[in-house]
Amino acid sequence: MVDQANLELFKNAAIPQTVIDYYISTLFEFNPTFNPLKVPGSFLCSPEVPSSAYSSASEADTIKILKELEKSCNGTEYSEVSAVLASNIETVTPETFSILGSASSGLSNTKISSLSPTVMVSSLSTLGTVSTWNQGQANIFIQKLISSGYLINDGSRLESLGTLVAGVPSKTIENIPATVLFSISQNTVFVNNMIAAPTVIQQIFVQKIISLDQSAASVVQNVPDAMATEIPSSSLVFSGPVDISKINKKTWTGEQAAMFFESLGETDFDTEK
């Protein structure tokens, strides 16, 4: 079943994926220790390849597998596979992170804690694009960076963290000027990363922006649409003309809606903006 002729046969693009998946499932059931590097690269994209098939791979073979996955699988990933592959890596360098890509989130907390801060800083452009970090991992990365003397004290540093911004402590956000936070809040990618942060971090970020101008109209104007649910209801009491188009772009909680629609009943609407 595992001879090369069979493997070559299944390279035929006309063979349905369901048939390939069945073959792969049967292949590893028949021989659980079969070397995944012996199958065509596209086979590795199948969910039927068990994560255990990668557990005995050497670091060198793991790198080969990661490169093949990147080449053949169009971003398809499985968390268990990522965890196993990442665990096979002993020496982590910026190049390693570049190869691991999204599979970097498979690194254990212990492994992350042992990383050199220099490697972390050099790898931020890669690490900040990984969307599957859990909160604990993000916290460890940021704590390691800060304890090594890496300053997160301006907008560019905050933006450079990418998805790892979820691990930034509240005190760090509080210490960055509100004008700076407002400026980077115009960056949609940054805002998307920020809304994955703990609620308390989002609330502090929003409060800092509100502090620039506390009128309800300015609050609605200045706070990013995706973070509107973190606006305190007390900041939504209108006393002047309202740009209803701005309000309609945002998602509101029931409590917020009850608060500001009550005040809108006595307010002029501006529907032309």
Side-chain angles (χ1 to χ4, degrees):
M1 179 176 185
V2 295
D3 62 67
Q4 196 60 37
N6 280 341
L7 294 176
E8 289 297 324
L9 174 65
F10 276 87
K11 286 184 178 181
N12 188 332
I15 297 177
Q17 186 61 45
T18 53
V19 175
I20 294 176
D21 286 343
Y22 177 76
Y23 174 77
I24 294 172
S25 174
T26 306
L27 172 62
F28 282 99
E29 182 179 349
F30 177 76
N31 185 359
T33 61
F34 185 76
N35 184 350
L37 282 174
K38 291 185 177 181
V39 301
S42 60
F43 280 31
L44 300 180
C45 310
S46 171
E48 297 302 327
V49 180
S51 58
S52 58
Y54 302 107
S55 60
S56 60
S58 66
E59 184 166 350
D61 281 351
T62 295
I63 296 298
K64 292 178 183 178
I65 291 168
L66 286 165
K67 289 181 176 179
E68 194 59 58
L69 288 170
E70 180 181 12
K71 173 184 174 183
S72 303
C73 300
N74 297 318
T76 301
E77 296 173 1
Y78 303 100
S79 58
E80 289 185 6
V81 170
S82 294
V84 172
L85 290 172
S87 70
N88 293 339
I89 303 295
E90 294 297 328
T91 304
V92 180
T93 66
E95 182 183 7
T96 306
F97 275 127
S98 180
I99 295 170
L100 279 170
S102 294
S104 298
S105 63
L107 291 171
S108 67
N109 288 355
T110 300
K111 174 66 74 174
I112 294 172
S113 297
S114 69
L115 294 174
S116 158
T118 301
V119 169
M120 289 183 176
V121 173
S122 299
S123 306
L124 278 178
S125 60
T126 297
L127 300 177
T129 64
V130 177
S131 61
T132 47
W133 299 118
N134 62 44
Q135 189 61 50
Q137 291 172 314
N139 289 346
I140 293 172
F141 268 115
I142 299 303
Q143 288 167 6
K144 285 275 291 186
L145 288 173
I146 292 175
S147 63
S148 72
Y150 186 80
L151 297 177
I152 306 173
N153 57 357
D154 59 30
S156 61
R157 282 289 177 92
L158 203 56
E159 287 180 297
S160 72
L161 298 176
T163 53
L164 290 174
V165 74
V168 173
S170 57
K171 185 176 181 180
T172 298
I173 301 294
E174 290 172 345
N175 289 338
I176 296 177
T179 52
V180 172
L181 296 181
F182 172 69
S183 178
I184 61 177
S185 74
Q186 311 306 303
N187 182 333
T188 303
V189 174
F190 174 78
V191 171
N192 287 338
N193 290 330
M194 179 59 75
I195 60 178
T199 300
V200 65
I201 301 299
Q202 296 183 54
Q203 290 173 340
I204 292 171
F205 184 85
V206 168
Q207 286 284 11
K208 293 278 287 189
I209 292 176
I210 290 174
S211 71
L212 292 172
D213 187 334
Q214 298 186 40
S215 68
S218 293
V219 169
V220 171
Q221 172 72 33
N222 294 340
V223 173
D225 294 347
M227 302 185 76
T229 54
E230 304 307 329
I231 299 173
S233 298
S234 58
S235 295
L236 296 170
V237 179
F238 294 85
S239 59
V242 177
D243 182 355
I244 195 66
S245 66
K246 293 290 184 183
I247 291 176
N248 287 338
K249 288 180 180 179
K250 289 174 161 56
T251 300
W252 305 101
T253 66
E255 182 181 354
Q256 288 172 318
M259 174 64 73
F260 72 69
F261 277 119
E262 180 179 347
S263 68
L264 287 177
E266 302 176 356
T267 304
D268 294 329
F269 289 91
D270 183 352
T271 59
E272 296 182 357
K273 291 184 179 181

